[in-house]
Amino acid sequence: MLMWLLPLFVSIVSLVMGYDEADLVFVGDAMQHQAQLDAARCGKGYDYSQYFEALEPVVSVADYAVVNLETPVGEGRHSGYPCFYAPTEYLDALADTGFDLFLTANNHTLDRGPSGLRSTIGQLDRRGLDHIGTYSCDSARAAALPLIKNINGFSIGFLNYTYGTNGISPRDGVAVDYIDRRLIKTDVEAARAAGAEMICVCIHWGDEYKLLPNTAQKHLADYLEALGVDMIIGGHPHVIQPMELRPNRYRPEKNVLLVYSLGNFISNMKTADTRGGAMAHVKLFRGEDRVPTVKSASYRLLFTIPGTSPSDNFRVMTADSVKDSRWRPRAEEFSRRARDIFDRHNIGVPELKNPSEQ
């Protein structure tokens, strides 16, 4: 068969057989520490051209890709921990890599107060990027939600919540979506009423640096499962935590994907478990019964190589692809520890070592 006929053939088969498929990608915390700012500094601007080169072929081919933007973004004086504020070039690099949805409800979203929150939203809007979790005011939240995306025929409602904002309270009218069971229930019901046939809740929760979920995470995950949420994607601990794909205990005709934590996407954290994270690959499927569900999920391990200048900048890549002798042992240590957790605790979510295995 001629290669140019293949997409047409797939479309015809899908129509005849009555099924749809979509591929989603999720990554963890996209951070911007001071060392990252220093390395990216180039004249009066910043150069992030090396950051995501290795992953762009993977992210860009997904039907929809989601990242947690764990820093406000805008113009002016930029800073790393403890009050993050990243340049707009960082946002451009993430968008150019292929990320479609930017999560902004996390504990650093108010690091620069309401002006930083509004700046981030403004920069995302100028680039036409989907975002969810924070809003310039209550009326903006009402207009933005429910966020429902049609992805290859799947109508998916996305929601995003955080446990807190480092003790900084919203002021000047800005809105942050905090974890609140009544609010979540209302939002899920509103998304369904607006036509969402699947629900994805991205949630900032858990204990930092703990490789296993705490009791509160488990109880909230059970609550979300009972609401019929299809995908529960977690972040915040800065380390990976287990993943599960299994029939929903309350609605067994559908699966639920539970990812407690994807860890760091890119950062300057330096302990063995914080130097990397996981990328979750999720395949949605609708068969002849027309019921949409999460058909399968897998993960690949990521590792960050630090840099010192724009010509030798920070880079994130799959952990197994790290060849640099300075960082290969650390990548292997990170991978060994992460796989130990996943091998012992994952349910139905294997490692994806080769794209052809997806």
Side-chain angles (χ1 to χ4, degrees), residues 24-28 205 211-213 217-218 221 230-235 239-246 256-264 276-282 294 296-302 334 338-352:
L24 309 184
V25 163
F26 297 86
V27 298
W205 61 357
L211 291 164
L212 294 176
Q217 285 172 276
K218 294 178 181 179
D230 300 270
M231 292 168 276
I232 306 165
I233 310 294
V239 296
I240 58 91
Q241 291 182 344
M243 310 175 180
E244 301 177 11
L245 177 63
R246 49 180 169 72
V256 59
L257 172 64
L258 170 57
V259 177
Y260 280 111
S261 175
L262 288 169
N264 288 330
M279 175 184 289
H281 294 260
V282 183
V294 181
S296 63
S298 56
Y299 72 89
R300 65 175 87 210
L301 296 176
L302 309 177
F334 164 77
R339 286 181 178 125
D340 179 63
I341 291 294
F342 287 150
D343 289 347
R344 288 192 288 125
H345 298 281
N346 274 21
I347 298 174
V349 185
E351 183 172 8
L352 176 62

Side-chain angles (χ1 to χ4, degrees), residues 127-161:
R127 290 159 175 78
L129 300 170
D130 295 338
H131 57 91
I132 192 170
T134 58
Y135 314 89
S136 59
C137 60
D138 288 338
S139 60
R141 183 185 194 274
L145 295 181
L147 176 64
I148 300 175
K149 303 300 296 183
N150 187 312
I151 304 170
N152 276 17
F154 294 87
S155 180
I156 306 174
F158 289 90
L159 298 166
N160 179 212
Y161 306 92

Side-chain angles (χ1 to χ4, degrees), residues 19-253:
Y19 67 77
D20 302 308
E21 290 187 338
D23 293 312
L24 309 184
V25 163
F26 297 86
V27 298
D29 303 338
M31 310 191 74
Q32 192 67 185
H33 289 96
Q34 188 62 48
Q36 294 173 268
L37 291 168
D38 294 342
R41 188 74 182 179
C42 185
K44 294 183 178 180
Y46 294 85
D47 181 359
Y48 293 100
S49 57
Q50 293 186 32
Y51 255 56
F52 311 113
E53 279 182 336
L55 297 183
E56 189 274 337
V58 177
V59 175
S60 63
V61 299
D63 295 310
Y64 204 66
V66 182
V67 59
N68 175 47
L69 182 64
E70 192 147 353
T71 175
V73 175
E75 306 290 348
R77 181 178 57 84
H78 301 108
S79 57
Y81 182 83
C83 289
F84 292 114
Y85 190 54
T88 58
E89 291 95 330
Y90 186 53
L91 195 59
D92 290 331
L94 287 162
D96 290 345
T97 302
F99 287 105
D100 302 290
L101 175 61
F102 291 73
L103 310 174
T104 58
N106 55 65
N107 58 307
H108 286 286
T109 197
L110 288 174
D111 279 6
R112 283 294 181 94
S115 63
L117 183 151
R118 289 192 171 109
S119 170
T120 305
I121 292 172
Q123 295 294 340
L124 289 161
D125 285 343
R126 287 188 193 100
R127 290 159 175 78
L129 300 170
D130 295 338
H131 57 91
I132 192 170
T134 58
Y135 314 89
S136 59
C137 60
D138 288 338
S139 60
R141 183 185 194 274
L145 295 181
L147 176 64
I148 300 175
K149 303 300 296 183
N150 187 312
I151 304 170
N152 276 17
F154 294 87
S155 180
I156 306 174
F158 289 90
L159 298 166
N160 179 212
Y161 306 92
T162 181
Y163 75 93
T165 46
N166 290 346
I168 306 172
S169 299
R171 54 185 175 83
D172 194 24
V174 301
V176 177
D177 280 344
Y178 293 103
I179 295 171
D180 178 292
R181 291 193 179 198
R182 288 178 295 180
L183 174 65
I184 294 173
K185 184 174 187 291
T186 298
D187 289 345
V188 168
E189 291 174 348
R192 284 215 182 88
E197 55 185 351
M198 301 186 78
I199 304 291
C200 176
V201 172
C202 299
I203 195 157
H204 216 65
W205 61 357
D207 297 322
E208 289 186 335
Y209 317 122
K210 299 295 184 181
L211 291 164
L212 294 176
N214 61 30
T215 301
Q217 285 172 276
K218 294 178 181 179
H219 287 170
L220 183 55
D222 186 65
Y223 178 75
L224 295 172
E225 183 179 357
L227 290 178
V229 172
D230 300 270
M231 292 168 276
I232 306 165
I233 310 294
H236 171 63
H238 300 303
V239 296
I240 58 91
Q241 291 182 344
M243 310 175 180
E244 301 177 11
L245 177 63
R246 49 180 169 72
N248 187 306
R249 289 170 291 182
Y250 306 90
R251 304 181 186 191
E253 73 278 7

